[in-house]
Amino acid sequence: MTRAESTFQSVFGYAPAITGRAPGRVNLLGEHTDYQGGFVLPAAIPQQATVSIGKNGGHAHRLHSANLHQTLTVEVGEVGTGFAPYLTGSVALCGVHEALDIWVWSDVPSGGLSSSAALELATLRAIRELYRLPLDDVQLALIGQKVEHEYVGVMCGVMDQMASSLADTEHMLFLDTRSLERRRLPLPSGTQNKAAQILVLDSGVPRRLAGSGYNERRAQVEEASRLLGVTQLRDVHDVSQLSVLPELLRRRARHVVSENARVLEALTADAARFGELMNASHASLQGDYQVSHPQVDVLVALLQARPQVYGARMTGAGFGGAVVALVQEGQAAQVAAEVLAQYGTGGRMVVP
Ligand code: GLA
């Protein structure tokens, strides 16, 4: 029996029927572009959510979080609060109306690394297998996104769920969030064709996605595309077209348009150029999109100052949370130790 199965058993008194797992993700480039039909470049991280499920034969779901040491009881058809909506939403949107016992555990840090998408996809994978639902990995990701929209209340794009469903830790997943066309790419290579390495640090600054400015940013760029007469900012290729917009919307739109260009350039860039594009992305997220955080900026600047670092930026929605750096192969742990010592308390290494 796995740890998940035996812990499920100790909570609910019987062995689970199924266990699903799904990873968090780190986005290397292409931030705040996915709700405007843009381009993203995430990779999976080793940390994942684990979800075990059994049928309880009653009228209510019993939901246990091993992270929170908490069990919630939610009537079938109800949404619930706390961590419940991720699970009840996934169950309901799969058309399942039976009462389930669900045990969850996750080591994906909260804040920029898609802990929510990991939880949704792990649940959805388990349900797909349990009920033999004919859903492919893209359909599963789209259901996960719908859970966020309809049950959690975050109007997210599709990157996180697509990454959790389709990415691996060895490649970048280049995703066109409009067509959902995608390609797995190797990490950019460094000098003498040495591979580069991903470093992810948690800034320790807590973040609340739904309560933050995420939905506000989304509304602003929707307003910008409406004023420009385009369906999405994906369709704007030249920042000079943005001059007709009022100041704030112009800055928001300039981030999205320039970020899309950076992702497309990054597809053929070596590590040195890729790193510069990451640095430019951070500056744009900090200045134009205003979704960074002073402490995150400190951590990013410390990384950017290290000679072994090609580039560094905040990753995910922002307002705190994680940062990502592209580092010379074999140097990440050393860089992390030095940078975290300078940064002070609260920071920690997530990858490698
Ligand atoms: C969150 C959302 C994603 C994406 C990022 C920002 O992670 O869930 O859809 O918008 O923020 O790039």
Side-chain angles (χ1 to χ4, degrees):
M1 234 191 224
T2 63
R3 178 175 167 269
E5 288 162 351
S6 60
T7 325
F8 179 106
Q9 180 146 32
S10 67
V11 173
F12 295 113
Y14 64 98
I18 206 81
T19 295
R21 294 185 173 79
R25 65 98 189 95
V26 59
N27 190 22
L28 296 172
L29 208 57
E31 214 66 83
H32 287 281
T33 58
D34 68 343
Y35 43 86
Q36 283 292 312
F39 307 108
V40 296
L41 267 180
I45 58 173
Q47 288 83 358
Q48 56 181 10
T50 303
V51 172
S52 293
I53 301 183
K55 302 180 183 184
N56 70 33
H59 299 285
H61 301 303
R62 293 184 296 183
L63 315 172
H64 181 83
S65 162
N67 294 86
L68 302 172
H69 307 288
Q70 188 185 26
T71 305
L72 303 172
T73 301
V74 183
E75 290 292 317
V76 174
E78 300 285 314
V79 178
T81 54
F83 65 95
Y86 299 99
L87 310 178
T88 55
S90 300
V91 171
L93 290 179
C94 282
V96 171
H97 305 291
E98 272 186 301
L100 302 176
D101 289 331
I102 307 184
W103 176 96
V104 307
W105 185 78
S106 174
D107 63 355
V108 182
S110 69
L113 299 171
S114 289
S115 53
S116 317
L119 190 52
E120 288 147 10
L121 266 294
T123 309
L124 291 167
R125 281 178 173 169
I127 294 171
R128 174 172 67 181
E129 200 175 328
L130 184 59
Y131 292 95
R132 300 183 198 290
L133 303 176
L135 297 166
D136 66 24
D137 292 345
V138 172
Q139 290 170 309
L140 223 56
L142 293 172
I143 296 174
Q145 184 194 24
K146 215 167 166 196
V147 171
E148 291 281 344
H149 289 187
E150 296 179 7
Y151 288 79
V152 182
V154 177
M155 295 309 292
C156 64
V158 78
M159 165 171 69
D160 299 351
Q161 289 76 17
M162 284 291 282
S164 185
S165 191
L166 292 148
D168 63 41
T169 55
E170 308 305 314
H171 298 88
M172 314 187 282
L173 182 74
F174 169 60
L175 173 70
D176 175 335
T177 64
R178 175 181 278 174
S179 67
L180 299 186
E181 271 168 46
R182 61 210 172 268
R183 244 178 22 238
R184 285 205 174 120
L185 301 170
L187 287 182
S189 53
T191 33
Q192 287 138 21
N193 280 336
K194 270 184 89 177
Q197 184 182 10
I198 295 174
L199 169 63
V200 181
L201 301 179
D202 183 353
S203 70
V205 180
R207 178 191 66 109
R208 289 211 47 231
L209 189 61
S212 72
Y214 185 88
N215 289 348
E216 183 193 64
R217 294 300 183 285
R218 182 173 176 137
Q220 287 169 336
V221 290
E222 280 168 1
E223 173 68 359
S225 33
R226 195 183 63 76
L227 291 173
L228 291 166
V230 294
T231 321
Q232 290 177 312
L233 292 178
R234 152 75 179 271
D235 301 311
V236 178
H237 303 287
D238 185 350
V239 286
S240 69
Q241 285 173 256
L242 307 175
S243 57
V244 296
L245 294 172
E247 161 74 9
L248 183 68
L249 296 189
R250 184 165 71 234
R251 286 166 65 189
R252 300 291 190 253
R254 185 166 61 189
H255 166 71
V256 177
V257 172
S258 63
E259 187 79 348
N260 278 330
R262 282 186 284 273
V263 175
L264 294 180
E265 186 185 342
L267 299 179
T268 52
D270 64 5
R273 181 64 190 144
F274 196 104
E276 288 170 3
L277 294 166
M278 292 173 82
N279 294 346
S281 168
H282 186 77
S284 176
L285 288 159
Q286 182 189 8
D288 276 349
Y289 221 61
Q290 295 180 295
V291 290
S292 191
H293 182 283
Q295 259 172 271
V296 171
D297 295 338
V298 168
L299 191 53
V300 167
L302 288 171
L303 285 164
Q304 289 175 345
R306 311 299 309 174
Q308 311 95 316
V309 173
Y310 294 113
R313 55 184 288 275
M314 55 155 275
T315 186
F319 308 100
V323 307
V324 60
L326 193 68
V327 180
Q328 287 171 7
E329 192 175 32
Q331 301 295 314
Q334 176 69 23
V335 167
E338 290 168 7
V339 163
L340 288 173
Q342 281 177 284
Y343 178 68
T345 51
R348 69 186 178 99
M349 185 166 80
V350 179
V351 179

